[in-house]
Amino acid sequence: MRLITFEDPVQRSRIGAVTDDGRIVDLRSACALYLRDVESESAFDRLADALVPANMLALFEGGDTSLEAAHKAFDYALHNDGAAGPRGETIFYSASEVRLKAPIVPRKFFHTAGNFREHHEEATKAGFSHPVMPWIVFFQNVDAIIGHDEPVIYPEHLTQELDYELELAVVLKKGGKHFSPEEAISHIGGYVIFNDITARDIQRREMKSGVFSFCKGIDTFCPLGPWIVTADEIPNPHNLKMELRVNGESRQRSHSSKMSVKIPEILSHYSPMGYSAGDVVSTGTVSGVAAFSGDPKAWYLKPGDVMECEIEKIGILRNRVISWEEAYGHKPAALTTQETRS
């Protein structure tokens, strides 16, 4: 399944699954219909709320039980195309009727850096201030998460070197601590595309102390989506083509087979910190970022640029960069103050 979080026509937050022809199935309503018609459950509403809640984090916290219920609901809806819910609720929406949101906002978002050694090699060639060490871990600010077609806001009072980083990320369906790579497989619920937006000038300053966080955690710097593809749809996540385009021009092009450390090892290695169901773990970016190109100034993002992150078997995550003024209707206070002083 391709699992989404969406706003329906009256702006209620719902979770759904995308059909092959691009329509949206409201999974909670479909589950209630399945429970009434197939399982003959009299308390179908209450049970549907428990099994397939209208919140993606809660769905993944339900683990295999909730994911299997969502699968059954989706399949039943497809076999009863056009049906309404047990109380007349809409089950099928067209894509134009809904608004996609970030598919999940996890409790914790684990970053992996340096896993694609091609990224380290391009950084070395470009003379970057610090080596990109193998699979470092740090945390993302989950409040910076945005979804498909939501804008990345360029904070021009903070940075002049806005960069992109295409990554494959894992969504966990089960929490846990101190588990082996072999055990890690049972924790994987699905996969999602992540664009690790980075302010490179801030990053260089931060890395003088050996750490970085602010450069990647600014509001809207965490596009995630367009949906979560459940693990059963991707039996081998290390066999996926990856490409990021800016205004249609290919910038990053690689393959998930180039990870130096595979996903089970990553999950196991971080597990002493403890996972919760619904946590997201990224796997590192590939070569082709603006900072390490032949002409970084020409490749850094600017307002009006459209990024498309594509990973085979998942889809395309698209986000436009907009100016602070377009987002908020005024210039940043820091710039206004500076102009007043001059």
Side-chain angles (χ1 to χ4, degrees), residues 278-292:
D279 282 353
V280 174
V281 182
S282 76
T283 60
T285 196
V286 301
S287 61
V289 299
F292 307 147

Side-chain angles (χ1 to χ4, degrees), residues 45-302:
D45 269 331
R46 183 160 48 86
L47 191 53
D49 286 337
L51 286 173
V52 186
N55 176 281
M56 194 68 75
L57 180 58
L59 180 81
F60 275 83
E61 287 173 340
D64 284 330
T65 300
S66 286
L67 289 171
E68 287 170 10
H71 266 291
K72 289 178 181 177
F74 184 58
D75 290 342
Y76 188 69
L78 292 179
H79 284 96
N80 293 271
D81 201 342
R87 302 193 188 281
E89 310 97 315
T90 300
I91 289 181
F92 286 89
Y93 293 96
S94 67
S96 62
E97 291 180 286
V98 306
R99 180 186 175 196
L100 288 189
K101 304 294 288 182
I104 194 168
V105 177
R107 297 181 189 280
K108 298 189 295 299
F109 192 125
F110 296 77
H111 261 285
T112 298
N115 191 22
F116 287 81
R117 300 315 295 150
E118 60 189 37
H119 184 48
H120 163 73
E121 290 162 7
E122 69 173 356
T124 301
K125 289 178 183 177
F128 192 56
S129 57
H130 289 71
V132 182
M133 302 302 291
W135 58 313
I136 331 165
V137 61
F138 56 99
F139 289 101
Q140 174 60 284
N141 169 26
V142 297
D143 288 337
I145 293 174
I146 59 172
H148 179 71
D149 271 338
E150 293 188 303
V152 172
I153 301 170
Y154 194 133
E156 55 262 37
H157 57 305
L158 299 176
T159 179
Q160 296 299 307
E161 298 181 8
L162 199 63
D163 209 345
Y164 47 80
E165 291 190 3
L166 167 64
E167 302 198 25
L168 172 67
V170 181
V171 184
L172 302 182
K173 65 179 179 182
K174 185 169 68 173
K177 303 175 184 177
H178 301 289
F179 53 76
S180 69
E182 293 73 23
E183 294 169 318
I185 303 299
S186 68
H187 291 257
I188 298 174
Y191 302 94
V192 65
I193 302 171
F194 166 46
N195 188 356
D196 180 17
I197 304 297
T198 306
R200 297 295 183 193
D201 37 8
I202 297 174
Q203 183 181 32
R204 285 195 301 273
R205 293 196 297 270
E206 285 190 288
M207 289 185 72
K208 290 178 181 178
S209 65
V211 297
F212 52 90
S213 177
F214 185 53
C215 63
K216 293 175 177 284
I218 295 170
D219 184 44
T220 75
F221 275 25
C222 188
L224 196 68
W227 38 64
I228 299 165
V229 177
T230 51
D232 58 298
E233 300 280 345
I234 303 178
N236 184 4
H238 305 107
N239 187 30
L240 305 174
K241 296 175 184 175
M242 304 174 66
E243 183 178 21
L244 181 142
R245 299 177 292 273
V246 177
N247 303 327
E249 177 188 20
S250 182
R251 296 285 184 87
Q252 291 183 282
R253 183 182 294 171
S254 192
H255 198 273
S256 63
S257 62
K258 295 183 179 182
M259 292 183 196
S260 60
V261 181
K262 305 306 182 189
I263 290 169
E265 286 78 18
I266 293 172
L267 297 180
S268 173
H269 185 69
Y270 301 162
S271 68
M273 290 188 283
Y275 294 116
S276 302
D279 282 353
V280 174
V281 182
S282 76
T283 60
T285 196
V286 301
S287 61
V289 299
F292 307 147
S293 68
D295 190 358
K297 288 185 179 180
W299 275 28
Y300 282 133
L301 296 166
K302 59 186 182 301

